[in-house]
Amino acid sequence: MEKIQHSHVQVQGLKLHVAQIGTGPKVVLFLHGFPEIWYSWRHQMIAVANAGFRAVAFDCRGYGLSDHPPEPQKANFNDLTDEVVALLDSLAIDKAFLVGKDFGAFSAFMVAVTHPERVLGVITLGIPFLIPGSLGIQLDLLPKGFYVTRWAEPGRAEADFGRFDVKTVVRNIYILFCRSELQVAGDNEEIMDLVDPSTPLPPWFTEEDLDVYATSYQNSGFRNALQVPYRCIQLDCGITNPKVIAPSLLIMGEKDYVMKFPGMEDYMRKGIVKQFMPNLDITFMPEGNHFVQEQLPEQVNELILTFLNKNSST
């Protein structure tokens, strides 16, 4: 971990916190989700660097140690797509492998669709091909107390989270979302109420890890993190007839709650997703949950390195 280098890079008028390790000619850019930051990829960054790749991860705008956009309430996924491409430009990286998890997968898909010349390959964890808008999550098919719907409502999550310190909020989110069930609140409760305060952290997530996340979110707050992804996930991103041509890999934990989204399992297992990603391979991990890269890092690293080596021949 101490070998990971940190800097701030000017991208589209904002200073983004960037972590890097490795000096190989092929670059792997890691895209985090919520409630995550660059640190979510700590295990993978070291593994790919040791295998001869240059690993880059960053805190998205409004997350961690990166600047907030001037109008956070207007932030959307198109901004993140532009941000990824602009970051590659700022770092003088022509092409990269993109590895995305949770909403970071949306960014990876959108960059691969709109800027295919910049993408060597795409790996996503926990999310098959989805983009904001009509090709995204069908919230109307999910219960009204579903967490995405609740957090999309302006002010609701702020009031829910505001009852606790930041460390407790992050702890609760990790405890809730490493479960295999959909997280749905009843009419008279909020999402944070679904956690029994006596529940321990999962064994693969230490108090030291929690401290890193808590310190990060104490710095950034949750404002931008609630806007992107939750409050813009239904906004149409303007992409029609999308297709990812680059070689691709989906790593899906079978205990990831995303498997419970209506139609999601058939979408993956019956190969429907390959309409959008014809060069996609899918690996299901029987014990994997939504944080599989932190839960089972050695297994995930092996899958990632196998894919990178297979698709790195010049």
Side-chain angles (χ1 to χ4, degrees), residues 7-314:
S7 62
H8 277 84
V9 178
Q10 195 79 15
V11 177
Q12 297 181 310
L14 300 177
K15 286 190 294 183
L16 300 184
H17 172 234
V18 178
Q20 300 188 66
I21 185 170
T23 57
K26 296 290 175 68
V27 177
V28 185
L29 178 62
F30 293 92
L31 307 169
H32 69 77
F34 177 84
E36 297 166 323
I37 50 172
W38 76 270
Y39 184 79
S40 315
W41 298 110
R42 59 199 179 280
H43 305 298
Q44 287 68 46
M45 292 180 72
I46 292 169
V48 303
N50 287 342
F53 295 87
R54 177 183 173 190
V56 181
F58 70 105
D59 296 339
C60 291
R61 57 179 60 197
Y63 280 78
L65 298 178
S66 290
D67 284 351
H68 283 253
E71 297 181 285
Q73 72 278 8
K74 295 183 180 179
N76 58 57
F77 276 98
N78 286 15
D79 297 335
L80 293 192
T81 303
D82 294 343
E83 179 170 88
V84 171
V85 175
L87 177 62
L88 292 175
D89 290 342
S90 294
L91 296 175
I93 297 168
D94 183 40
K95 296 182 178 183
F97 290 99
L98 303 181
V99 184
K101 185 254 169 182
D102 191 69
F103 81 78
F106 283 65
S107 300
F109 296 140
M110 290 175 67
V111 172
V113 169
T114 58
H115 297 276
E117 75 285 355
R118 308 300 296 271
V119 178
L120 293 169
V122 176
I123 303 173
T124 62
L125 287 72
I127 300 287
F129 185 86
L130 296 169
I131 55 175
S134 59
L135 289 174
I137 298 168
Q138 304 301 303
L139 291 178
D140 56 325
L141 301 178
L142 288 153
K144 67 176 183 177
F146 186 54
Y147 82 97
V148 175
T149 306
R150 286 290 183 88
W151 291 351
E153 186 179 327
R156 187 149 194 172
E158 289 89 334
D160 184 13
F161 294 0
R163 298 176 295 155
F164 307 94
D165 60 46
V166 169
K167 189 172 183 177
T168 300
V169 173
V170 176
R171 174 191 290 271
N172 287 352
I173 291 171
Y174 262 84
I175 289 169
L176 277 178
F177 295 99
C178 70
R179 297 173 179 171
S180 61
E181 304 84 18
L182 295 177
Q183 298 305 317
V184 180
D187 289 343
N188 297 312
E189 63 181 353
E190 300 299 329
I191 298 300
M192 291 290 104
D193 297 327
L194 300 177
V195 182
D196 181 334
S198 67
T199 305
L201 285 170
W204 43 266
F205 192 76
T206 67
E207 289 288 342
E208 290 75 18
D209 294 331
L210 178 60
D211 285 341
V212 174
Y213 285 98
T215 301
S216 172
Y217 279 91
Q218 282 164 354
N219 176 73
S220 67
F222 291 102
R223 183 181 183 186
N224 204 79
L226 290 165
Q227 174 64 25
V228 182
Y230 302 105
R231 293 173 185 165
C232 67
I233 204 165
Q234 297 292 288
L235 291 178
D236 193 286
C237 60
I239 295 174
T240 56
N241 301 316
K243 191 160 285 191
V244 174
I245 301 301
S248 306
L249 172 66
L250 168 62
I251 300 171
M252 194 75 206
E254 292 187 338
K255 294 184 177 178
D256 189 326
Y257 68 89
V258 173
M259 294 282 285
K260 301 278 179 63
F261 283 30
M264 190 65 78
E265 189 158 7
D266 279 352
Y267 181 57
M268 294 181 283
R269 292 198 188 276
K270 293 185 177 180
I272 302 167
V273 63
K274 293 190 179 183
Q275 295 175 13
F276 305 103
M277 302 184 75
N279 298 310
L280 174 68
D281 291 326
I282 303 176
T283 295
F284 290 96
M285 298 182 66
E287 298 301 316
N289 64 36
H290 192 61
F291 301 102
V292 68
Q293 88 280 16
E294 295 181 277
Q295 174 205 11
L296 300 170
E298 291 183 4
Q299 294 177 44
V300 168
N301 293 350
E302 184 177 346
L303 291 169
I304 289 174
L305 288 172
T306 298
F307 176 88
L308 293 177
N309 288 324
K310 176 183 176 183
N311 293 286
S312 291
S313 55
T314 54

